[in-house]
Amino acid sequence: MVNSRIKAVTMDSLALAVILVAVGILAGVLFGANGTRIATSMSIVVTACVGLQVFSGNTGIVSFGPAAFMGVGAYTAGILTMSPVVQRTALPHLPVWMAGYGLSVWSSLIVAALTGLVLAGVSGIVMRRLSGSAASIATLALQIIVYTVLVATKDITRGSQTFYGVPRNTTLVVALSVAALSIAVARTFRDTRTGRAVRATREDEVAAAAVGVDVRQARLRAWLLSGTILSIAGALTAQFLGAFGPKDFYFESCFLLISMLIVGGLGSVSGALVGVIVITAVTELLRALEGGGDILGFSVPALYGLPLVGASLAMILVLFIRPAGLVGSRELELSKAWDPLKGRDSKLLPGSQDFQAPKGANALEANQLSRHFGGVRAVDGVTFKAEAGLITGLIGPNGAGKSTLINLLTGQLRPSAGHVALGSDLIENKQPHIIARAGLARTFQNLRVFADMTVRENVLVAAEACAADTALSVWRTNDALARFGLETLGDRLAGSLPYGQRRLVEIARALATGPRFLLLDEPAAGMNPAETKELMGRLAALRADTGVGILVVEHDLHLIMSLSDTIVVIDRGKRIAVGTADAVRTDPAVISAYLGSKRMGEKKTQVETSSVVQVIGASAS
Ligand SMILES: Nc1ncnc2c1ncn2[C@@H]1O[C@H](COP(=O)(O)OP(=O)(O)OP(=O)(O)O)[C@@H](O)[C@H]1O
């Protein structure tokens, strides 16, 4: 399996490198002597763009800080490769411990990579805690801090003056080799368990954590790798230009990298490559025109900055016609030669024992659980016990507090008071991914599949987050897909499936964590009657086969009444009844709660107590 994976990634990387070389040759033909320069420069930009893609593409957080890492890598390599003689003139006040190394290009790349890793490690302390636009703004701050430090540390960087005397060691072969290696690393990373986990956080951070993904850790790893690759790109740039200044690693280069990723497609390494090629072609063509002059018989005035304008327009155009970028988020088809689930026989591992949990010891208990939002007591001192191996229904009128209760059980919300115990562990103050790993998996009332990942990846990422062993995660993935009839849909993007099937993907994904308890928040919502019936069969079979405990919140009372061993009823945040379907159906408090909600929400007609029983039954059907 490992061999086929290496083969697939190598094939992808080679294919991308061949594209790069072909474009380089084309550039040579089109631009003559400039061809090699353009191809070398483009290869360096490919490395940088791939470095940015590793973070921004996989996490979905646009980073405005790639040039900061490149700058640090460039100055590190510049100082370390400069000959001692030149150094004495260019950097007379350089601290002694930094002077006189005269490193080769390859050694300088290694040191630059380590420097980038350290910067990523330090900035990662903040980055790992932030999401979305807050994280993007933090990268902007990083860019400004690094630029300011580069300008301020004159003895080391010559401040805003040109840093010169760097040997021009970045040949086409060096740049191309590093670009191909970066592509291989980024492609491999994307399909590792960390890569899948990071992509899941990009799709839906809350859902990722709910299936056991440590969002912060996954994001930090992508940030570290990204910073390392970007610093190497900076080191190559320094040894390509020979002379540069802090402005070469500021907003303009940051913007160009982002525009390349957006044009090619943020979500894929192939997209990064295509984006570099397109934007390089646009900017090089316009660079030839920006000085103005006689062009095709027309006298054109000088328009400095034309290449940047061209890149901006190309980006806007792509955002209009194809927002996911020219390539989108799919990688080359060659990578399909490696499939983590191929060649894995589910019989290799014990069957349902994997999910078997001893009854009693794994009960899920809420004890005086409360959650207040200001004056609203969404959950108010609820106590109940859901036994392992049984299906417990949780019902109540709209706004009764069901979803809040599920969120409290699974760590998405912290309780105002009370406790939650899974077996003998108190879990009410634990983070969602820890709770998921402890054996409590959930689905959501509003669908939260990882839309831009395949069905198989959706399930696999959950299995991997909760099982260290690859064989076990593959087995759980196969098992969960089979149990919900999704085996043949494994390669489809989850977001492309009909609503009912997406619900099943979410349940299979939760099941792949190997839970002791499954919490299903309105699993039949949006399903047609045939799909609901099939779902009921599958859940009953799951309970019978595996002994996993299931807690179901549902408005479909027929489903709840016929499926549940025990039903807990809450209203206005309080538990008002618990018992079998028959006991609950005739409980006066339940009838009154449903009657009340019926009166308030819908009809104002007088309703007899006996007909409320029918209402519960009728909602049912
Ligand atoms: N974040 C919040 N801030 C303020 N009030 C909230 C918040 N979340 C829930 N509530 C309130 O708590 C109460 C319970 O809401 P909850 O969504 O848990 O009910 P529910 O039983 O799941 O309802 P439904 O069946 O309609 O989904 C409602 O009055 C709701 O408005």
Side-chain angles (χ1 to χ4, degrees):
M1 186 182 77
V2 173
N3 282 346
S4 62
R5 180 183 180 188
I6 293 171
K7 193 173 141 203
V9 171
T10 310
M11 281 165 69
D12 263 20
S13 308
L14 274 178
L16 293 173
V18 165
I19 295 171
L20 197 59
V21 173
V23 173
I25 292 170
L26 189 68
V29 172
L30 288 177
F31 300 101
N34 266 344
T36 309
R37 182 189 65 78
I38 292 172
T40 310
S41 159
M42 198 169 66
S43 302
I44 297 170
V45 179
V46 165
T47 303
C49 209
V50 160
L52 177 59
Q53 197 278 334
V54 165
F55 180 73
S56 289
N58 291 315
T59 63
I61 298 168
V62 177
S63 168
F64 296 108
F69 287 100
M70 291 181 71
V72 167
Y75 279 94
T76 303
I79 292 164
L80 294 178
T81 55
M82 200 182 276
S83 83
V85 179
V86 179
Q87 221 167 42
R88 274 194 286 276
T89 317
L91 299 167
H93 306 297
L94 190 68
V96 181
W97 63 273
M98 286 188 179
Y101 291 99
L103 292 186
S104 71
V105 60
W106 295 109
S107 309
S108 74
L109 295 186
I110 294 170
V111 182
L114 291 174
T115 315
L117 186 63
V118 170
L119 177 62
V122 174
S123 52
I125 295 169
V126 175
M127 282 304 300
R128 68 198 280 271
R129 291 171 172 271
L130 299 173
S131 318
S133 49
S136 289
I137 289 167
T139 62
L140 192 64
L142 175 72
Q143 176 70 66
I144 290 168
I145 291 168
V146 168
Y147 176 80
T148 309
V149 170
L150 289 178
V151 171
T153 48
K154 288 194 178 111
D155 290 351
I156 298 170
T157 63
R158 293 179 52 80
S160 50
Q161 286 182 292
T162 301
F163 187 97
Y164 66 90
V166 181
R168 302 178 72 168
N169 292 330
T170 303
T171 60
L172 177 60
V173 172
V174 169
L176 208 52
S177 310
V178 176
L181 190 66
S182 306
I183 287 169
V185 169
R187 277 291 293 107
T188 308
F189 176 74
R190 191 179 191 272
D191 286 330
T192 58
R193 47 170 72 210
T194 302
R196 269 186 289 277
V198 183
R199 284 189 285 133
T201 70
R202 173 192 70 195
E203 297 297 308
D204 192 319
E205 204 174 308
V206 172
V211 292
V213 171
D214 184 341
V215 175
R216 288 181 180 181
Q217 189 191 63
R219 195 173 281 158
L220 177 65
R221 287 180 181 174
W223 179 248
L224 292 175
L225 182 59
S226 170
T228 305
I229 297 175
L230 282 161
S231 298
I232 291 173
L236 288 171
T237 309
Q239 294 169 81
F240 174 65
L241 297 175
F244 51 86
K247 283 226 157 65
D248 289 309
F249 304 101
Y250 209 34
F251 285 119
E252 188 174 320
S253 43
C254 164
F255 171 76
L256 277 173
L257 287 177
I258 291 173
S259 67
M260 286 165 178
L261 263 194
I262 288 176
V263 165
L266 199 65
S268 66
V269 179
S270 320
L273 179 62
V274 169
V276 172
I277 293 169
V278 172
I279 293 293
T280 305
V282 170
T283 51
E284 287 300 324
L285 279 171
L286 294 179
R287 206 180 305 285
L289 304 179
E290 77 175 331
D294 209 23
I295 298 164
L296 298 175
F298 294 98
S299 172
V300 178
L303 276 169
Y304 292 106
L306 196 59
L308 264 189
V309 174
S312 310
L313 291 176
M315 186 174 73
I316 291 168
L317 186 67
V318 169
L319 282 174
F320 260 110
I321 56 172
R322 210 173 149 82
L326 297 175
V327 174
S329 57
R330 284 267 169 150
E331 289 293 356
L332 282 182
E333 291 299 306
L334 300 174
S335 61
K336 291 219 165 154
W338 180 73
D339 177 345
L341 301 185
K342 262 188 197 159
R344 293 281 173 162
D345 185 346
S346 46
K347 290 187 193 114
L348 287 174
L349 282 162
S352 52
Q353 282 120 311
D354 180 40
F355 293 113
Q356 211 95 54
K359 288 186 182 176
N362 286 323
L364 173 65
E365 290 179 70
N367 190 359
Q368 290 299 316
L369 202 57
S370 299
R371 172 69 199 213
H372 307 155
F373 298 106
V376 179
R377 291 168 177 264
V379 173
D380 194 6
V382 169
T383 296
F384 74 90
K385 183 171 182 178
E387 297 286 355
L390 300 181
I391 297 183
T392 305
L394 178 63
I395 61 170
N398 284 341
K402 304 179 294 293
S403 292
T404 305
L405 184 55
I406 295 274
N407 287 337
L408 290 171
L409 296 174
T410 51
Q412 270 82 31
L413 285 174
R414 292 281 160 102
S416 309
H419 302 285
V420 181
L422 181 61
S424 54
D425 304 328
L426 282 181
I427 57 170
E428 69 270 4
N429 286 317
K430 295 204 160 75
Q431 290 176 286
H433 73 276
I434 306 278
I435 293 177
R437 290 176 187 180
L440 204 56
R442 70 166 294 179
T443 63
F444 292 86
Q445 185 177 346
N446 302 317
L447 264 178
R448 283 175 169 244
V449 292
F450 306 135
D452 216 14
M453 294 171 75
T454 65
V455 169
R456 183 172 295 145
E457 284 178 325
N458 264 266
V459 181
L460 183 60
V461 80
E464 286 176 331
C466 296
D469 181 47
T470 304
L472 180 58
S473 19
V474 170
W475 182 87
R476 282 181 177 170
T477 302
N478 280 332
D479 183 77
L481 287 173
R483 278 184 191 283
F484 289 92
L486 299 165
E487 314 96 306
T488 56
L489 301 173
D491 287 332
R492 294 270 301 275
L493 285 182
S496 72
L497 297 180
Y499 195 82
Q501 281 177 336
R502 274 185 278 159
R503 283 249 169 238
L504 296 182
V505 171
E506 233 196 290
I507 301 172
R509 185 179 68 184
L511 180 64
T513 61
R516 293 194 261 172
F517 255 95
L518 261 183
L519 274 58
L520 309 178
D521 198 349
E522 299 196 27
M527 284 187 173
N528 62 38
E531 288 172 329
T532 304
K533 193 172 169 211
E534 191 189 324
L535 174 69
M536 286 168 66
R538 291 187 190 279
L539 291 179
L542 179 68
R543 185 259 317 258
D545 289 356
T546 66
V548 68
I550 303 178
L551 181 73
V552 191
V553 175
E554 219 0 290
H555 281 292
D556 184 335
L557 293 171
H558 173 60
L559 183 148
I560 282 284
M561 296 286 170
S562 49
L563 200 62
S564 308
D565 300 293
T566 313
I567 296 175
V568 178
V569 190
I570 59 172
D571 183 32
R572 295 176 200 179
K574 289 186 186 293
R575 194 193 86 183
I576 57 167
V578 61
T580 61
D582 284 340
V584 159
R585 197 180 273 130
T586 51
D587 188 305
V590 178
I591 292 167
S592 159
Y594 273 88
L595 184 62
S597 79
K598 231 15 190 182
R599 268 195 191 132
M600 285 186 294
E602 297 163 37
K603 297 172 188 166
K604 289 193 175 149
T605 47
Q606 194 70 35
V607 187
E608 299 286 326
T609 304
S610 60
S611 69
V612 176
V613 179
Q614 290 301 321
V615 168
I616 296 178
S619 299
S621 35

